[in-house]
Amino acid sequence: MPAAAVKPKSKPTSKPKPARKPLPTQSTAKRPVQLDLPYDPVEKSPLPAGRPREWYITHNRRLKAMRLAIALLDSGVYLPNQARDDRIRTAAQLIGVHPPSDTTCHMVRAFMRYHR
């Protein structure tokens, strides 16, 4: 038997080393996760009763604008000047919401601008 094939015996250690805990910035996933869509809807809850109609309209418009801003960010649109109305409406069609109005498109760009 050649000398290179013989492994030297190692000394047994007294304690087995514990498994290393991953750093907080490291992913614990075994493989990367592929997303089908850039947006995953959350379960909706009923709105509180007794507010004026304008409050509900504004609230729903803000929620829609936030969902669209998140979808755009997930798809690689990071700057408000890249988010033109047609691109926002395409993202709305992709995530399955009604096409946004001009006011909602403006609000999407405002979210991308001021919430960085």
Side-chain angles (χ1 to χ4, degrees), residues 26-86:
Q26 290 178 333
S27 174
T28 56
K30 301 289 184 204
R31 54 189 142 79
V33 178
Q34 294 292 325
L35 297 176
D36 294 340
L37 292 174
Y39 166 76
D40 188 23
V42 295
E43 189 174 327
K44 294 181 181 179
S45 59
L47 295 175
R51 307 265 173 125
R53 180 171 170 74
E54 278 301 313
W55 184 89
Y56 296 105
I57 293 171
T58 305
H59 175 77
N60 288 332
R61 180 169 284 162
R62 284 182 186 149
L63 288 179
K64 186 176 193 176
M66 273 215 253
R67 288 185 185 111
L68 288 168
I70 290 168
L72 287 169
L73 290 170
D74 287 346
S75 66
V77 178
Y78 300 113
L79 299 173
N81 61 357
Q82 295 174 332
R84 305 214 188 290
D85 287 352
D86 59 338

